[in-house]
């Protein structure tokens, strides 16, 4: 209980407030008034979401998706994270249904439905359990269009899975497997940081003509609250978003870690007088090399952070590309603050995660290099 | 005695299916769509006052003596056939009485496939193509099932179903183009030979991983059920692939989600070198169907009419009742697994010869035809000559054709070209311009950038 409280204080307040791009560092502590995202029309009526769930509500009925259905384990009653609550009553049991307990079946079924022209939204209960479907994702979904010479494809498939640490998830309810899938040409991998991003990015994934994996940071299901516009909108894939501009260090991450990074940026400014540029990568594959490289050319220093283990983690890919493209601009070696090369531990989570102190220390080292 | 009754109970569903197939002429009259009552609806309402079991997981009675169900593999599920090995109809009421034209078409497709197989196998041996898989002995399973389907039905195959594609009208030139990976290949030269696909003919492109197509077929069938356009899906796989986890997933999903789907297992005795005795211990694949709540049948795969009848009825009911069917077609793989295999390493020449000479789908159909005066020795000679000629001509055309533009290495990874791939494409182009002489450019269509 105490551990959880400490964890939450370290993770800080999750009442998110989105600053408009370009206004500089904006503390997220105690923000009472939530501002709408710059992407949506502020004159549109917005409604506060039900207490914090990435609830998938394709409202109004999305005719542009044609035939669609959403399925997976326990999807019918609303889902273990309540993401599909109310959908079965609204859209019928033919469109919102349970499948047997079998991830390879869920994804395979989704691929086949997409091949037949339906918009298939497959839910994997935890990203930790996606591995039985690895063959279907890597050998089938990703390669369907290429191997058939574009005769067939499963572009209308989207796979969603809760992702990342949650305070007590341990080995099998905390994983961030994006690196495994980043190595797979043909799919897209997307991770939102907040409710507004979640809706826009998810709708983009669904509309995208390529199979997409959408990882939803599970700790944010309850913790993140935002004013999300009711009408559909999309946020483009493969475009990183600069959340705050800075001149000394580029901080790159995705998902939950964005909120840590924003705090780190504030700490760096306050304690070190260092100006940080915070970038949310959003799409892991294909990733926006241009935005990151442009930023590093400007700042000369790069810190990448993720919960997943450091060896072979996605930070390694970013680091490698950036040193190729921006070698002469670098003032210090690229820094990665990530999980250790261990399975995700239970009781040791507060020590395992790449918290703001570790990131802060890394920035200090880069500045003083 | 008790064991026999248990076996009967276990296979009750299968026998029922056999009886139903026999009565298919009557049931043909019922063309309207019926919806199957699911197991959930068959469950009795919860009533704790009764001494009967109330478990949600099974609808069964109590029994007070300990007895294990004995799986019976000595006399397993019987094999439905229409013709004997000499092509004579066993039970006249089962003869589908197809027209001469239809039967000749069956025969010509089966033999054309056989001829194409011989020539392409040989071409691999001569180093002209990299790889090939023949269909010897299984032509009946392909043509019998393909003929029973609607052209709009979607086919998911494994890799030994070329006859299905041939029956649907895939031209020899395109078979060859795929095997040669030349510029005419619909697949743009990306896959090994025999990985055919055709959107127009509703034949999903083959992929090498085994059994991945089973859950996909279930998903496609579910989508078609919702479309409500009277389309079915057929999914082919071998008895070896049936051991994969994906096979279990596909069977279970199709049953629970009530998909209009035919699972067609070609049990040909071997998975490369692994005989069925090392692949499973139960009564083959058909016996697994009832475990999933699925109507199942075992047929003589070398009897093209048996395959036809079973597939036709399964298709009709799958669409009318939105439920999957399992057909296990017993056959024999006369050829090697592929050009990378020499099956004399694990089976006797005598065994292979038996099937080639005594129980071949092509011979059996020919006996049926000659008995009716539909096919003579002269017809056979001239057809063999003509089919060989057309295959050779297509072969020569394919051989001469250039390979596709190397730019096609980079397209269709995603629907759109990504900046990252564009850069890599550019990089290869520059590299090849500089090191031209080390790349076999003269074999390819002009490398346009």
């Amino acid at each position: 209980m105490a551990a959880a409280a400490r964890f939450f204080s370290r993770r800080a307040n999750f009442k998110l407030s989105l600053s408009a791009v370009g206004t500089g560092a904006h503390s997220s502590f105690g923000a009472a008034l939530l501002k709408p995202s710059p992407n949506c029309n502020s004159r549109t009526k917005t409604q506060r979401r039900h207490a914090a769930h990435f609830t998938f509500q394709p409202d109004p009925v999305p005719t542009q998706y044609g035939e669609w259905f959403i399925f997976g384990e326990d999807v019918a009653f609303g889902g273990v994270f309540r993401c599909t609550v109310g959908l079965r009553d609204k859209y019928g049991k033919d469109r919102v249904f349970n499948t047997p307990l079998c991830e390879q079946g869920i994804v395979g079924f989704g691929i086949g439905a997409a091949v037949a022209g339906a918009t298939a939204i497959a839910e994997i209960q935890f990203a930790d359990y996606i591995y039985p479907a690895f063959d279907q994702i890597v050998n089938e979904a990703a390669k369907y269009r290429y191997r058939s010479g574009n005769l067939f494809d499963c572009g209308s498939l989207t796979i969603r899975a809760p992702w990342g640490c949650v305070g007590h998830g341990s080995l099998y309810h905390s994983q961030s497997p994006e690196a495994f899938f980043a190595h797979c040409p043909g799919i897209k991998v997307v991770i939102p940081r907040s409710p507004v991003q979640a809706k826009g990015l998810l709708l983009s994934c669904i509309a995208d003509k390529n199979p997409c994996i959408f990882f939803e940071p599970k700790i944010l299901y309850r913790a993140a609250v935002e004013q999300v516009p009711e009408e559909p909108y999309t946020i483009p894939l493969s475009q990183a978003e600069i959340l705050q501009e800075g001149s000394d260090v580029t901080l790159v991450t995705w998902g939950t870690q964005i909120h840590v990074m924003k705090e780190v940026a504030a700490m760096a400014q306050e304690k070190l007088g260092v100006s940080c540029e915070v970038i949310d990568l959003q799409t892991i594959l294909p990733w926006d090399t241009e935005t990151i490289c442009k930023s590093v050319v400007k700042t000369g220093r790069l810190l990448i952070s993720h919960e997943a283990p450091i060896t072979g983690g996605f930070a390694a890919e970013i680091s490698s590309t950036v040193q190729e493209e921006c070698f002469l601009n670098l003032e210090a070696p690229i820094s990665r603050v990530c999980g250790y090369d261990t399975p995700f531990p239970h009781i040791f989570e507060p020590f395992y995660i790449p918290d703001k102190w570790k990131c802060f220390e890394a920035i200090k080292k880069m500045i003083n290099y | 005695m008790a064991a026999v009754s248990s076996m009967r109970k276990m296979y009750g569903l299968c026998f029922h299916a056999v009886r139903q197939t026999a009565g298919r002429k009557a049931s043909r009259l019922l063309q309207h769509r019926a919806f199957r009552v699911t197991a959930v609806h068959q469950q009795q309402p919860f009533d704790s006052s009764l001494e009967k079991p109330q478990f949600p997981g099974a609808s069964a009675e109590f029994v007070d003596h300990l007895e294990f169900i004995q799986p019976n593999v000595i006399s397993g599920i019987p094999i439905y056939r229409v013709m004997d090995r000499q092509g004579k109809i066993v039970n006249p009421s089962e003869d589908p009485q197809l027209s001469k034209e239809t039967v000749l078409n069956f025969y010509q497709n089966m033999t054309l496939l056989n001829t194409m197989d011989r020539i392409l196998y040989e071409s691999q041996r001569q180093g002209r193509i990299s790889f090939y898989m023949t269909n010897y002995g299984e032509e009946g399973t392909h043509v019998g099932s393909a003929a029973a389907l609607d052209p709009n039905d979607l086919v998911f195959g494994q890799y030994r179903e070329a006859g299905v594609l041939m029956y649907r009208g895939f031209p020899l030139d395109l078979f060859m183009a795929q095997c040669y990976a030349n510029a005419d290949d619909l697949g743009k030269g990306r896959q090994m030979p025999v990985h055919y696909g055709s959107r127009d003919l509703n034949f999903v492109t083959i992929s090498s991983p085994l059994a991945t197509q089973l859950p996909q077929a279930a998903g496609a069938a579910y989508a078609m059920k919702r479309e409500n356009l009277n389309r079915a899906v057929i999914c082919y796989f071998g008895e070896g692939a049936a051991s994969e986890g994906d096979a279990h997933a596909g069977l279970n999903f199709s049953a629970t989600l009530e998909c209009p789907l035919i699972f067609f297992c070609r049990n040909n005795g071997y998975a490369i070198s692994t005989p069925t005795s090392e692949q499973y211990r139960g009564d083959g694949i058909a016996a697994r169907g009832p475990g999933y709540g699925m109507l199942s049948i075992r047929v003589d795969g070398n009897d093209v009419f048996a395959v036809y009848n079973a597939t036709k009825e399964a298709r009709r009911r799958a669409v009318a009742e939105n439920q999957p069917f399992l057909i296990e077609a017993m056959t024999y793989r006369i050829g090697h697994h592929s050009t990378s295999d020499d099956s004399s390493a694990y089976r006797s020449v005598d065994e292979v010869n038996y099937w080639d000479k005594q129980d071949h789908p092509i011979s059996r159909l020919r006996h049926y035809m000659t008995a009716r005066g539909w096919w003579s020795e002269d017809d056979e000679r001239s057809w063999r000559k003509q089919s060989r000629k057309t295959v050779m001509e297509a072969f020569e055309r394919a051989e001469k054709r250039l390979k596709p533009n190397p730019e096609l290495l980079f397209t269709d990874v995603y629907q759109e070209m990504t900046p990252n791939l564009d850069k890599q494409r550019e990089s290869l182009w520059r590299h090849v311009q500089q090191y031209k002489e080390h790349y076999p450019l003269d074999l390819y269509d002009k490398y346009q950038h």
Side-chain angles (χ1 to χ4, degrees):
Chain A
M1 200 53 199
R6 271 201 302 279
F7 171 74
F8 270 100
S9 68
R10 187 170 301 130
R11 282 285 182 167
N13 190 333
F14 276 142
K15 280 203 170 61
L16 297 171
S17 107
L18 291 174
S19 40
V21 169
T23 56
H26 183 110
S27 170
S28 60
F29 281 99
L33 184 64
L34 302 173
K35 293 183 197 153
S37 136
N39 294 330
C40 42
N41 185 346
S42 56
R43 282 188 290 280
T44 318
K45 182 178 131 190
T46 60
Q47 184 192 313
R48 196 180 170 85
R49 282 259 164 232
H50 178 267
H53 295 108
F54 286 175
T55 306
F56 174 60
Q57 292 272 16
D59 206 354
V61 177
T63 51
Q64 74 265 35
Y65 303 117
E67 181 59 42
W68 63 266
F69 28 90
I70 183 163
F71 51 91
E73 295 152 21
D74 305 297
V75 162
F77 89 102
V80 293
F81 287 107
R82 314 197 54 216
C83 292
T84 50
V85 164
L87 296 188
R88 191 170 166 99
D89 289 336
K90 191 164 185 174
Y91 296 108
K93 61 180 183 53
D94 281 354
R95 289 187 190 267
V96 182
F97 53 91
N98 290 337
T99 62
L101 212 169
C102 177
E103 287 74 16
Q104 63 196 107
I106 291 168
V107 174
F109 179 91
I111 292 170
V115 168
T119 295
I121 303 160
E123 178 173 305
I124 298 294
Q125 201 154 85
F126 283 87
D128 312 54
Y129 307 137
I130 201 167
Y131 308 110
F134 201 74
D135 186 42
Q136 286 281 355
I137 293 169
V138 169
N139 268 336
E140 298 287 316
K143 298 169 168 64
Y144 232 91
R145 191 189 293 276
Y146 188 80
R147 73 189 188 200
S148 69
N150 200 26
L151 292 177
F152 297 95
D153 69 85
C154 57
S156 54
L157 170 68
T158 302
I159 302 165
R160 301 172 36 247
W163 168 102
C165 77
V166 69
H168 55 277
S170 182
L171 282 79
Y172 304 113
H173 298 82
S174 312
Q175 290 179 39
S176 313
E178 67 274 11
F180 293 110
F181 298 100
H183 193 55
C184 180
I187 51 168
K188 296 196 176 180
V189 179
V190 179
I191 305 175
R193 67 173 184 273
S194 74
V196 170
Q197 304 303 307
K199 175 166 176 171
L201 290 170
L202 179 55
L203 287 176
S204 286
C205 286
I206 292 168
D208 195 278
K209 302 273 191 273
N210 302 288
C212 297
I213 303 180
F214 187 74
F215 286 125
E216 302 171 357
K218 64 178 82 66
I219 198 173
L220 298 181
Y221 282 144
R222 302 195 70 173
V225 179
E226 263 187 332
Q227 298 270 26
V228 181
E230 273 192 21
E231 78 282 0
Y233 60 93
T234 55
I235 293 173
L237 301 183
S238 296
Q239 273 190 35
E241 191 182 337
I242 300 175
L243 300 187
Q244 69 182 57
E245 287 185 8
S247 53
D248 300 326
V249 186
T250 301
L251 307 178
V252 176
T253 185
W254 47 89
T256 319
Q257 195 69 0
I258 284 286
H259 307 293
V260 176
M261 279 315 201
K262 281 164 81 173
E263 280 191 57
V264 173
M267 276 168 73
Q269 182 66 68
E270 190 195 319
K271 298 191 175 45
L272 306 171
V274 164
S275 154
C276 296
E277 183 145 293
V278 180
I279 304 182
D280 181 1
L281 192 62
Q282 291 185 147
T283 301
I284 307 301
L285 182 77
W287 68 281
D288 184 358
T289 55
E290 199 185 318
T291 301
I292 309 303
C293 289
K294 202 157 144 229
S295 175
V296 177
V297 163
K298 182 171 73 167
T299 63
R301 294 176 191 84
L302 176 62
L303 169 72
I304 316 156
S305 185
H306 56 64
E307 289 167 21
I310 188 166
T311 297
F314 199 65
E317 160 64 26
I318 298 174
S319 177
S320 182
T321 300
V322 168
Q323 67 86 28
E324 267 175 24
E325 302 288 323
C326 315
F327 186 72
L328 294 175
N329 302 96
L330 289 171
E331 297 291 336
I334 296 171
S335 184
R336 296 179 293 160
V337 180
C338 305
Y340 301 112
D341 291 329
T342 70
F344 202 104
H346 179 224
I347 211 63
F348 308 113
E349 180 164 336
F351 297 93
Y352 175 90
I353 51 170
D355 60 30
K356 64 185 179 186
W357 305 110
K358 294 179 188 170
C359 294
F360 177 71
E361 185 58 28
I363 291 177
K364 253 188 20 195
K365 283 205 170 75
M366 278 198 291
I367 294 296
N368 297 325
Y369 185 76
Chain B
M1 279 47 67
V4 169
S5 68
S6 306
M7 182 198 80
R8 280 226 193 89
K9 255 188 226 164
M10 191 164 94
Y11 293 126
L13 281 166
C14 297
F15 290 162
H16 183 60
V18 172
R19 280 199 293 276
Q20 288 212 316
T21 313
R24 79 198 181 288
K25 279 187 188 132
S27 52
R28 252 187 221 143
L29 298 169
L30 293 167
Q31 288 299 329
H32 68 272
R33 182 148 319 164
F35 284 84
R36 197 167 71 91
V37 175
T38 62
V40 169
H41 299 143
Q42 285 159 359
Q43 206 78 28
Q44 285 136 340
F46 185 84
D47 182 350
S48 59
S49 66
L50 301 172
E51 251 313 294
K52 296 159 88 69
Q54 301 293 329
F55 302 113
S59 189
E61 298 290 324
F62 283 123
V63 70
D64 62 12
H65 57 276
L66 179 67
E67 185 188 344
F68 290 98
I69 296 172
Q70 174 94 346
N72 191 334
V73 299
I74 303 206
S75 53
I77 296 172
I79 302 166
Y80 171 69
R81 70 170 182 176
V82 173
M83 291 188 278
D84 65 17
R85 290 190 188 104
Q86 284 70 46
K88 265 191 27 250
I89 301 290
V90 176
N91 178 353
S93 68
E94 296 298 304
D95 184 346
Q97 291 173 343
L98 300 170
S99 70
K100 177 179 171 185
E101 193 191 335
T102 303
V103 174
L104 254 57
N105 188 35
F106 283 13
Y107 184 76
Q108 287 170 349
N109 271 291
M110 284 164 44
T111 48
L112 184 63
L113 175 62
N114 189 279
T115 303
M116 183 181 83
D117 274 352
R118 284 174 203 280
I119 287 166
L120 284 176
Y121 184 90
E122 208 36 57
S123 82
Q124 192 277 343
R125 281 314 191 226
Q126 295 169 10
R128 297 166 192 266
I129 60 176
S130 59
F131 176 81
Y132 194 70
M133 299 177 100
T134 57
N135 301 273
Y136 302 147
E138 300 185 49
E139 298 89 346
T141 60
H142 302 179
V143 171
S145 56
L149 300 170
D150 197 84
N152 285 326
D153 292 340
L154 191 60
V155 175
F156 284 84
Q158 179 167 305
Y159 52 56
R160 221 183 287 279
E161 294 91 14
V164 174
L165 202 46
M166 187 165 273
Y167 184 87
R168 283 192 165 184
F170 200 59
L172 287 171
D173 280 329
L174 290 182
F175 277 111
M176 304 279 174
Q178 199 283 327
C179 289
Y180 275 90
N182 67 30
D184 294 332
D185 177 22
L186 298 179
K188 300 179 187 169
R190 287 158 184 165
Q191 292 213 80
M192 285 166 76
V194 312
H195 289 65
Y196 311 113
S198 168
R199 168 129 242 149
D200 294 341
L201 299 177
N202 295 301
F203 189 96
V204 180
T205 303
I206 299 300
S207 73
S208 305
L210 295 181
T212 47
Q213 71 271 22
L214 276 90
Q216 292 174 20
Y222 190 90
M224 286 181 183
K225 175 172 79 164
R226 287 207 40 90
E227 269 180 357
N228 205 15
L229 291 173
N230 185 28
R231 287 178 81 191
V233 175
I234 190 164
C235 181
Y236 295 89
F237 56 103
E239 86 286 351
S243 296
E244 282 279 2
D246 270 346
H248 164 67
L251 293 167
N252 197 22
F253 273 57
S254 66
T256 53
L257 299 173
E258 297 170 2
C259 305
L261 166 57
I262 303 162
F263 286 108
F264 193 103
C265 177
R266 296 175 292 95
N267 187 331
N268 62 15
Y270 291 88
I272 306 188
S273 71
T274 306
T276 52
S277 57
E278 288 169 17
Q279 194 67 247
Y280 52 75
R281 260 326 126 78
D283 179 21
I285 313 308
R288 300 180 196 171
Y292 294 103
M294 195 182 300
L295 283 156
S296 316
I297 192 169
R298 173 173 282 155
V299 305
D300 180 347
N302 291 349
D303 174 347
V304 71
F305 295 139
V307 172
Y308 176 84
N309 285 351
T311 308
K312 194 129 183 96
E313 178 65 0
R315 195 250 175 230
R316 187 189 69 76
R317 290 189 61 186
V319 172
E321 298 163 30
N322 284 317
Q323 63 171 322
F325 280 75
L326 174 60
I327 298 174
E328 183 182 17
M330 308 307 294
T331 179
Y332 188 84
R333 193 196 77 208
I334 291 174
H336 307 298
H337 165 71
S338 72
T339 47
S340 308
D341 177 47
D342 175 8
S343 61
S344 65
Y346 51 82
R347 58 184 186 177
S348 73
V349 174
D350 287 340
E351 180 186 305
V352 178
N353 269 336
Y354 166 78
W355 291 97
D356 198 21
K357 303 279 184 290
Q358 316 269 17
D359 192 345
H360 198 294
I362 291 174
S363 322
R364 284 166 75 176
L365 188 62
R366 187 170 62 244
H367 291 319
Y368 176 88
M369 286 156 54
T370 53
R372 273 157 189 71
W374 289 353
W375 194 255
S376 68
E377 283 296 320
D378 283 340
D379 291 325
E380 178 70 16
R381 248 194 310 274
S382 72
W383 166 248
R384 289 282 178 180
K385 194 155 159 245
Q386 182 201 328
S387 51
R388 193 181 156 78
K389 182 165 174 285
T390 41
V391 172
M392 285 307 300
E393 282 166 0
F395 174 84
E396 274 146 29
R397 279 193 297 272
E399 180 115 320
K400 292 198 186 82
R401 196 76 182 82
L402 292 171
K403 308 303 179 199
N405 180 350
E407 285 276 287
L408 293 176
L409 191 167
F410 292 102
T411 56
D412 302 324
V413 178
Y414 296 95
Q415 192 216 27
E416 70 281 6
M417 175 60 64
T418 60
N420 180 45
L421 278 172
D422 208 21
K423 264 196 266 184
Q424 293 177 12
R425 182 171 65 160
E426 179 65 42
S427 158
L428 177 65
W429 166 256
R430 276 187 267 108
H431 173 80
V432 171
Q433 294 318 299
Q434 195 183 346
Y435 288 89
K436 284 197 164 64
E437 66 274 19
H438 302 292
Y439 292 87
L441 289 170
D442 51 331
L443 297 178
Y444 293 77
D445 249 2
K446 187 148 186 336
Y447 188 176
Q448 307 271 38
H449 185 56

